[in-house]
Amino acid sequence: DAGVIQSPRHEVTEMGQEVTLRCKPISGHDYLFWYRQTMMRGLELLIYFNNNVPIDDSGMPEDRFSAKMPNASFSTLKIQPSEPRDSAVYFCASSSRRGTTDTQYFGPGTRLTVL
Amino acid sequence: ELKVEQNPLFLSMQEGKNYTIYCNYSTTSDRLYWYRQDPGKSLESLFVLLSNGAVKQEGRLMASLDTKARLSTLHITAAVHDLSATYFCAVDVSRGNEKLTFGTGTRLTIIP
């Protein structure tokens, strides 16, 4: 299994630009999570999906952030317009409730820098 | 609001020594996870603890869970340099809620 796949791995953009982060979960997993990690705030859950439906988006910082999951194998996190304070590492994770542990498996992350 | 606190936040220890990282959480939970993160890398699952009194061991690491005390520990035995990393605990509040709340992390540095 290839694990969770994220792209791009690094993104440098200028303030005001639109940024789209992509995630492919592990095949067969029915939960998908988006996290943000910064030195100041640690690891924060932004939003998660179950069977492609958003369940909890209370961690999304503001309206500039949006996430979609059009099918079981693809999700996007979009920031429009981006701001320097959005600079962080964004992780996608997936899990399955078919097992007993529901362990979340993390992707390699996207390091976003907004200038 | 669920709070998950780890201590210490930073730990520097010599090779061969033993030490324990603590994870306290503020509300009832029926499962707790430990993750490892190397600098610049992703999070890797180490242990899943599913019930009170659960103990899991892998190599020099052993994790335990006391749900009554709302406390989990990660014990390191005879530390080696390869264990240098940041360790996170994460709490799942209820079986029906897949949402994890992560602790602050403990940055462990093993000194030769």
Side-chain angles (χ1 to χ4, degrees):
Chain A
D1 195 328
V4 176
I5 298 172
Q6 291 185 246
S7 65
R9 296 291 305 277
H10 301 273
E11 176 81 30
V12 180
T13 190
E14 292 188 346
M15 183 173 63
Q17 297 298 306
E18 177 179 295
V19 175
T20 299
L21 311 181
R22 297 173 176 80
C23 175
K24 176 179 169 56
I26 293 172
S27 177
H29 281 190
D30 50 354
Y31 281 85
L32 184 139
F33 306 82
W34 282 101
Y35 290 90
R36 178 173 67 177
Q37 186 176 38
T38 62
M39 289 294 293
M40 292 297 294
R41 300 176 67 87
L43 196 63
E44 304 173 278
L45 176 66
L46 300 177
I47 185 172
Y48 75 97
F49 296 83
N50 176 222
N51 292 322
N52 314 335
V53 176
I55 303 300
D56 186 341
D57 65 354
S58 59
M60 296 285 262
E62 47 198 274
D63 292 345
R64 297 184 297 107
F65 285 70
S66 63
K68 295 182 180 180
M69 192 165 185
N71 56 63
S73 59
F74 184 65
S75 177
T76 59
L77 178 67
K78 186 176 293 186
I79 308 171
Q80 166 63 18
S82 58
E83 297 182 2
R85 59 188 168 135
D86 301 331
S87 298
V89 179
Y90 291 82
F91 289 104
C92 176
S94 70
S95 68
S96 171
R97 289 194 67 179
R98 296 187 191 89
T100 58
T101 63
D102 301 349
T103 299
Q104 292 184 20
Y105 295 89
F106 281 72
T110 295
R111 183 173 295 275
L112 174 65
T113 302
V114 183
L115 303 174
Chain B
E1 179 186 343
L2 173 62
K3 292 184 179 180
V4 182
E5 296 181 342
Q6 289 183 234
N7 69 85
L9 297 183
F10 299 93
L11 176 57
S12 181
M13 55 190 293
Q14 288 186 319
E15 278 190 330
K17 300 292 188 182
N18 303 333
Y19 210 83
T20 300
I21 298 170
Y22 297 88
C23 173
N24 292 274
Y25 51 97
S26 61
T27 191
T28 302
S29 173
D30 57 0
R31 55 186 59 209
L32 186 139
Y33 301 76
W34 283 97
Y35 284 84
R36 168 183 172 146
Q37 185 178 34
D38 292 307
K41 303 294 185 181
S42 186
L43 281 79
E44 174 191 353
S45 176
L46 293 175
F47 300 109
V48 182
L49 303 170
L50 299 177
S51 61
N52 186 41
V55 177
K56 295 280 186 71
Q57 182 163 4
E58 180 74 31
R60 300 174 188 274
L61 299 178
M62 183 174 70
S64 65
L65 177 62
D66 182 343
T67 57
K68 294 180 181 178
R70 300 176 183 171
L71 170 69
S72 180
T73 61
L74 181 66
H75 187 72
I76 302 146
T77 302
V80 294
H81 181 69
D82 287 352
L83 291 180
S84 295
T86 299
Y87 293 86
F88 292 92
C89 64
V91 175
D92 184 350
V93 175
S94 69
R95 186 63 179 87
N97 178 358
E98 301 298 316
K99 192 172 173 177
L100 293 185
T101 300
F102 279 78
T104 49
T106 297
R107 181 176 290 183
L108 173 64
T109 303
I110 309 297
I111 303 168

